[in-house]
Amino acid sequence: MSNKINYTEACNNFDKIYEEAISTREPVVINREGAESVAVIPTSELNSIIETAYLFQSPENAARLLDALQRVKAKTNMPQTIDELRKEFSLYEEE
């Protein structure tokens, strides 16, 4: 859950907000009366969110990612060779 702070407090304590965002890896939301809120978030976290959104833009890729996640959770993944993986991916490309 993100921490929330008002604009004036954020202006006076930005160094604390910066350190909190880095140490907790959670966004710090800054509210300003009569304006849209903004968030301070570590760049690596933002890049991860953007990359995840990009990967899920393709329905086919999203299905593969969700299938892989289910296999990991079910612990049904079996080790594969590089050649086996190439064959598996070539099947997806043919569809």
Side-chain angles (χ1 to χ4, degrees):
M1 194 64 143
S2 61
N3 188 12
K4 295 182 181 181
I5 191 168
N6 70 46
Y7 179 79
T8 303
E9 195 175 339
C11 288
N12 294 332
N13 298 296
F14 189 75
D15 55 334
K16 284 182 170 180
I17 292 167
Y18 180 94
E19 291 302 324
E20 180 181 343
I22 297 294
S23 67
T24 65
R25 313 307 293 171
E26 293 287 327
V28 178
V29 177
I30 302 170
N31 297 310
R32 187 174 191 181
E33 192 173 321
E36 187 175 358
S37 298
V38 297
V40 177
I41 182 171
T43 303
S44 61
E45 297 295 327
L46 177 60
N47 289 338
S48 179
I49 292 166
I50 291 169
E51 183 177 342
T52 301
Y54 173 78
L55 291 172
F56 275 88
Q57 283 180 343
S58 157
E60 296 85 10
N61 201 46
R64 283 191 290 246
L65 290 169
L66 293 172
D67 180 55
L69 182 60
Q70 287 175 344
R71 289 193 318 263
V72 168
K73 286 183 175 181
K75 298 183 180 177
T76 60
N77 274 347
M78 299 301 291
Q80 291 181 295
T81 67
I82 296 294
D83 287 334
E84 291 170 331
L85 288 170
R86 283 188 181 126
K87 285 179 189 175
E88 183 179 333
F89 279 102
S90 68
L91 292 175
Y92 284 117
E93 291 172 0
E94 293 172 5
E95 291 178 357

